Amino acid sequence: MKHLYANIPKHYLAVDCIIFGYDIVEKELKLLLIKRSFEPALGRWSLAGGFVQENESLDDAACRVLCTLTGLSDLYMEQLYTYGEMNRDPGARVISTSYFALIGIHELDPEIQKKNGAHWRSISNLPELIFDHRIMVDRALNELVEKVKVYPVGFELLPEKFTLVQLQNLYEAIYMRPVDKRNFRKKILSMELLDKQDEKERETSKKGAWYYRFNVEKYRELARNGFFFNLAVS
Amino acid sequence: MKHLYANIPKHYLAVDCIIFGYDIVEKELKLLLIKRSFEPALGRWSLAGGFVQENESLDDAACRVLCTLTGLSDLYMEQLYTYGEMNRDPGARVISTSYFALIGIHELDPEIQKKNGAHWRSISNLPELIFDHRIMVDRALNELVEKVKVYPVGFELLPEKFTLVQLQNLYEAIYMRPVDKRNFRKKILSMELLDKQDEKERETSKKGAWYYRFNVEKYRELARNGFFFNLAVS
DNA sequence: AAATAGAAGTGTATATAGTACATTTAAAAT
DNA sequence: ATTTTAAATGTACTATATACACTTCTATTT
């Protein structure tokens, strides 16, 4: 059957990862970008990417790229879109599938980060990116906004324990607008997916704010019975 | 610079089109499928697909496949997802990007259809499909349901002139559940995007039902000012 | 010409969800 | 004891979603 494929052209295939993090102190959404220490485009900023190999699936390739860069596995990751314009990469014809990942900034080892030339850059002040990476980022941002409205993926960006203030700050950073405190709390608490801890966060106030944990098991159980997460608030 | 790419593997890249149509008489959502008259998988059912060529973008490839099959251009089309598992195609390693398209069944020339071995098959009674095509279809169906809720893409499946009953039937076919007649009409009419015609459809009732037209220009204008289409009804 | 039949067309009351908004509470620091 | 700072809290109002049954129109039949 080999002859069937004889005249069919083959292509370079890449994956590019849009890696989101959230800085709980600066209250800013960030992107993990690579300052290229190699040609082509030395010194310029890009997403973390890599070519798809013979023996790996697309998802595998994306995981590999993400893993190599961060040293982390089991991260939240999702395929987004495939960019197939003829001249998107000036070096060669490369088709690239974008993935977006959510990681807690605190989980990232600064050593590995440094070694790979990876830097967290604030969403509100991104450098110019190579090729069509900015377009990829914009699509990923849209997706993130829509996603956190109806799926509890925002928690991937926070530590296990977090306060309601921190959670609200995260949503404000993603939505890029202020959110009403009482409505936000009413809505998230009414879902009964947060377990209040017997412990307070005391860094940012005298009174201290109660820690909560997201109860994944409970969410899964509810979701199985037709429950829909919703934090699309004013 | 050529040496940079010397050790990078290349891959076969395909596109597969999930082509939706709506049968206004049978009130059924349909898929345009190919009964293969060639090897491999002769006699089996598949989506319309094709390999990405050297000189065309992914979108171009999808348009070409769609155009060749239907003889139509300027159809509604959207990239969906890229399937990159190692063994999804038993013949060779092929990575495939799926697109979904919406066309009016009535627009399709039966001659071209016949020539290409294309057949409309009801969504509620699909044959077994090759490879992972069924998975592609299921994802496309989900996407269609979500899409018609908040974008006026359903009209792509209807003729220019349609009745409110026909529009409701379409939504019921897509949502796969009945929809409240008065609430549906209230909602669609309150958006003021349908222009009532001076003409009735008289095939299906003595009284006749008024024809309407979707006003695209008005929609675009409203959307530019922050309006959101919504037909997520009970 | 009156009666019939069959689908199109219509409105209101209720329930639910979304929104706007200001004061009290806790605890550390002085 | 007082001050200061951020956390925590509830209610009234508005808008949207939902449930639901009868009337209208007109071709066809009698």
Side-chain angles (χ1 to χ4, degrees):
Chain A
M1 287 280 163
K2 211 172 184 181
H3 62 282
L4 271 173
Y5 297 96
N7 293 317
I8 297 166
K10 288 183 149 190
H11 307 267
Y12 293 126
L13 248 175
V15 292
D16 284 300
C17 298
I18 297 105
I19 306 169
F20 288 104
Y22 176 66
D23 186 320
I24 212 164
V25 177
E26 295 186 37
K27 301 172 191 172
E28 271 188 326
L29 195 61
K30 305 215 161 185
L31 269 188
L32 193 60
L33 297 177
I34 310 293
K35 178 130 187 183
R36 291 166 74 106
S37 58
F38 47 87
E39 288 292 354
L42 185 143
R44 295 183 64 199
W45 292 90
S46 81
L47 296 169
F51 288 96
V52 178
Q53 301 301 313
E54 297 275 13
N55 60 344
E56 63 181 0
S57 71
L58 260 191
D59 288 357
D60 289 345
C63 286
R64 174 175 52 77
V65 166
L66 191 62
C67 228
T68 307
L69 187 69
T70 64
L72 302 169
S73 49
D74 293 322
L75 295 174
Y76 179 87
M77 198 168 195
E78 190 187 324
Q79 192 201 108
L80 260 190
Y81 197 78
T82 300
Y83 296 83
E85 291 303 313
M86 286 300 301
N87 299 307
R88 48 171 300 280
D89 181 334
R93 187 185 184 185
V94 179
I95 285 142
S96 180
T97 300
S98 68
Y99 280 77
F100 94 79
L102 304 179
I103 84 177
I105 281 187
H106 48 281
E107 292 175 42
L108 201 57
D109 180 352
E111 277 306 307
I112 298 181
Q113 221 181 109
K114 200 172 179 183
K115 199 187 70 191
N116 295 305
H119 303 260
W120 287 108
R121 294 291 309 245
S122 168
I123 280 289
S124 55
N125 185 28
L126 288 179
E128 197 183 312
L129 301 176
I130 62 166
F131 310 163
D132 50 0
H133 286 194
R134 180 58 200 238
I135 293 168
M136 293 183 180
V137 168
D138 288 339
R139 190 183 284 265
L141 267 168
N142 278 335
E143 180 66 18
L144 180 60
V145 170
E146 296 308 314
K147 206 87 192 178
V148 295
K149 280 182 190 170
V150 290
Y151 294 97
V153 295
F155 303 106
E156 306 284 340
L157 292 164
L158 293 174
E160 287 277 297
K161 294 184 302 185
F162 53 86
T163 70
L164 293 181
V165 175
Q166 289 168 344
L167 184 63
Q168 182 180 341
N169 288 339
L170 169 65
Y171 270 81
E172 290 182 328
I174 294 173
Y175 290 162
M176 291 186 279
R177 60 176 170 79
V179 162
D180 183 276
K181 190 176 184 175
R182 281 177 283 189
N183 293 340
F184 182 82
R185 291 162 97 103
K186 199 193 309 172
K187 204 155 185 178
I188 181 68
L189 290 177
S190 74
M191 287 191 267
E192 297 185 313
L193 289 171
L194 299 189
D195 295 339
K196 193 178 189 170
Q197 307 295 296
D198 298 328
E199 191 190 353
K200 279 185 168 182
E201 186 277 329
R202 302 200 167 275
E203 299 286 302
T204 45
S205 91
K206 294 160 186 168
K207 182 177 179 177
W210 291 107
Y211 274 123
Y212 288 80
R213 270 170 202 274
F214 176 66
N215 190 332
V216 200
E217 292 76 30
K218 193 163 178 192
Y219 169 70
R220 292 221 183 98
E221 174 61 19
L222 287 172
R224 218 176 305 124
N225 297 317
F227 165 84
F228 290 102
F229 183 88
N230 189 310
L231 272 181
V233 280
S234 63
Chain B
M1 289 279 163
K2 211 171 185 179
H3 63 282
L4 270 173
Y5 298 96
N7 294 318
I8 297 167
K10 289 184 149 190
H11 306 268
Y12 293 125
L13 246 174
V15 291
D16 283 299
C17 298
I18 298 106
I19 306 170
F20 289 104
Y22 175 67
D23 186 321
I24 212 165
V25 177
E26 293 186 39
K27 302 172 190 171
E28 272 188 325
L29 195 61
K30 304 216 162 183
L31 269 189
L32 194 60
L33 296 177
I34 311 293
K35 178 131 189 184
R36 292 167 74 105
S37 58
F38 46 88
E39 290 291 355
L42 186 142
R44 295 184 63 199
W45 292 90
S46 81
L47 295 169
F51 288 97
V52 178
Q53 301 301 312
E54 296 274 12
N55 59 345
E56 63 182 1
S57 70
L58 260 191
D59 287 357
D60 289 345
C63 286
R64 174 175 53 77
V65 166
L66 191 62
C67 227
T68 306
L69 187 69
T70 64
L72 303 169
S73 48
D74 292 322
L75 295 174
Y76 179 87
M77 198 166 196
E78 191 187 323
Q79 192 201 108
L80 262 189
Y81 197 79
T82 300
Y83 297 82
E85 290 302 312
M86 286 301 301
N87 298 308
R88 52 170 296 280
D89 181 334
R93 189 186 181 184
V94 180
I95 284 141
S96 180
T97 299
S98 68
Y99 279 78
F100 95 77
L102 304 178
I103 84 177
I105 281 187
H106 49 280
E107 291 175 42
L108 202 55
D109 181 352
E111 277 306 306
I112 298 181
Q113 219 181 110
K114 200 172 179 184
K115 198 186 72 192
N116 295 305
H119 303 261
W120 287 109
R121 293 290 310 246
S122 169
I123 281 289
S124 54
N125 185 28
L126 288 180
E128 196 184 313
L129 301 176
I130 61 167
F131 309 163
D132 50 2
H133 286 195
R134 179 57 199 240
I135 293 168
M136 293 184 178
V137 168
D138 288 339
R139 190 183 284 263
L141 267 169
N142 278 334
E143 180 67 16
L144 180 61
V145 170
E146 296 309 314
K147 206 87 193 179
V148 296
K149 279 182 191 170
V150 290
Y151 294 97
V153 295
F155 304 108
E156 306 285 339
L157 293 165
L158 292 173
E160 288 277 295
K161 294 184 303 186
F162 52 86
T163 70
L164 294 182
V165 175
Q166 290 169 342
L167 184 63
Q168 181 180 341
N169 288 340
L170 168 66
Y171 270 81
E172 291 181 328
I174 295 173
Y175 290 162
M176 289 186 280
R177 59 176 171 79
V179 162
D180 183 275
K181 190 177 183 174
R182 281 178 283 188
N183 293 338
F184 181 82
R185 286 167 175 244
K186 200 192 309 172
K187 204 155 186 179
I188 181 68
L189 290 176
S190 73
M191 289 190 265
E192 296 185 312
L193 289 170
L194 299 189
D195 296 337
K196 192 178 190 171
Q197 308 294 296
D198 298 328
E199 191 190 352
K200 280 185 167 182
E201 186 276 329
R202 301 201 166 275
E203 299 286 302
T204 45
S205 91
K206 293 161 186 168
K207 184 178 180 179
W210 291 107
Y211 274 124
Y212 288 81
R213 268 171 204 275
F214 176 65
N215 191 331
V216 199
E217 292 76 31
K218 193 164 179 191
Y219 169 70
R220 293 221 182 97
E221 175 61 19
L222 287 171
R224 217 176 304 125
N225 297 314
F227 166 85
F228 290 102
F229 184 88
N230 189 310
L231 272 181
V233 281
S234 61

